[in-house]
Amino acid sequence: MNLALWVVTGLLAAVLLVSTSKMFVPREKIAAKGGRAAEWVMDFSPGALRVIGTLEILAAAGLILPAVLDIAPVLVPVTATCVALLFAGAATMRLRRGERATIVPDLVYLALAVFVAWGRFGPESFTG
């Protein structure tokens, strides 16, 4: 179980880091090259995209570093809960835009984040 939680946590951190590209690539370029699934960036200002990207970087760090460094490891499930809320917001945004076909990855990541939060708060917590 511990290994599965680490694998899922690493996958979530990687997904979050990859998705921070919205901070560095102009949103027009993302929308043009990403197809229908990336058109959502045009609904947000560049500042809002930077805030979302910053939250994703912090989430990736919060999923891995507290446990690896053994400094406040309780932050891992707290961060996983916040990541679940982030992806719930992403799924809500896709529903509002009528993008039912592109909501599946967000729901999968949401489920993975809930799994990590449950596992680290419960049966495989770092505290004991």
Side-chain angles (χ1 to χ4, degrees):
M1 176 73 148
N2 187 43
L3 179 62
L5 285 165
W6 272 110
V7 169
V8 171
T9 302
L11 175 68
L12 277 174
V15 165
L16 289 164
L17 284 176
V18 168
S19 70
T20 61
S21 65
K22 68 180 85 43
M23 291 175 53
F24 310 107
V25 180
R27 64 188 184 141
E28 293 80 12
K29 189 172 183 179
I30 293 172
K33 293 201 179 212
R36 177 101 169 108
E39 290 176 359
W40 68 269
V41 297
M42 297 308 291
D43 291 348
F44 292 87
S45 69
L49 293 175
R50 277 192 294 278
V51 168
I52 294 168
T54 301
L55 290 173
E56 290 170 342
I57 288 173
L58 292 172
L63 285 171
I64 302 293
L65 293 180
V68 169
L69 299 176
D70 197 26
I71 299 173
V74 72
L75 291 178
V76 173
V78 171
T79 302
T81 303
C82 293
V83 170
L85 292 173
L86 180 77
F87 282 112
T92 302
M93 182 266 313
R94 292 206 188 271
L95 283 175
R96 286 184 179 171
R97 287 182 46 86
E99 298 177 359
R100 294 189 185 346
T102 60
I103 199 173
V104 173
D106 292 330
L107 294 176
V108 169
Y109 299 140
L110 170 64
L112 292 176
V114 168
F115 172 69
V116 171
W118 168 80
R120 292 303 183 199
F121 272 131
E124 289 290 334
S125 71
F126 292 116
T127 58

